[in-house]
């Protein structure tokens, strides 16, 4: 059971400040707003959500150069925010401006 991949598009609505871990790895937190229509059980439904995301290394540096309201397509994996916080966070390993 090692499959954990998420692909989603949306608009960057919050963009944290680029920071560095004690080991010198770049990190940035940001939030994506997703809006779409999806088919479920033969019925069209409106999907609206905000996704908390994080990127490390060169990906963090790349994302730090994006502006708010930029539309992007993201690929990454989901993990809990921390050992004590079960909130899901998308760890981004690829981003494309759309």
């Amino acid at each position: 059971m090692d499959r954990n991949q998420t692909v989603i598009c949306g608009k960057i609505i919050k963009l944290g400040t680029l920071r560095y871990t004690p080991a010198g790895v770049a990190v940035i937190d940001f939030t994506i707003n997703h809006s779409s229509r999806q088919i479920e059980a033969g019925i069209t439904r409106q999907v609206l959500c905000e996704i908390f995301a994080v990127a490390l290394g060169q990906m963090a540096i790349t994302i730090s150069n994006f502006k708010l309201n930029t539309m992007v397509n993201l690929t990454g994996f989901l993990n809990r925010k921390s050992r004590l916080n079960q909130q899901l966070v998308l760890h981004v390993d690829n981003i494309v401006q759309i």
Side-chain angles (χ1 to χ4, degrees):
M1 190 167 39
D2 61 349
R3 183 85 170 152
N4 179 350
Q5 184 179 28
T6 302
V7 178
I8 195 158
C9 61
K11 182 188 333 179
I12 298 174
I13 60 168
K14 292 180 188 170
L15 189 58
T17 303
L18 183 66
R19 63 187 195 283
Y20 291 86
T21 68
V25 178
V27 180
I28 194 164
D29 298 303
F30 60 107
T31 304
I32 297 296
N33 179 281
H34 170 83
S35 175
S36 66
R37 294 192 182 277
Q38 302 294 319
I39 305 294
E40 183 177 38
I43 300 168
T44 302
R45 67 180 298 171
Q46 178 73 30
V47 177
L48 302 167
C49 61
E50 287 187 3
I51 298 165
F52 300 102
V54 64
L56 287 86
Q58 185 58 49
M59 186 59 52
I61 294 167
T62 298
I63 292 170
S64 72
N65 291 312
F66 282 98
K67 304 265 189 262
L68 287 179
N69 297 316
T70 300
M71 293 295 296
V72 293
N73 186 35
L74 303 171
T75 305
F77 62 92
L78 296 173
N79 194 14
R80 61 187 178 187
K81 188 169 186 173
S82 69
R83 189 172 59 85
L84 299 175
N85 186 337
Q86 298 297 312
Q87 179 182 6
L88 290 178
V89 176
L90 175 61
H91 289 251
V92 177
D93 54 29
N94 189 42
I95 188 166
V96 176
Q97 185 175 348
I98 52 176

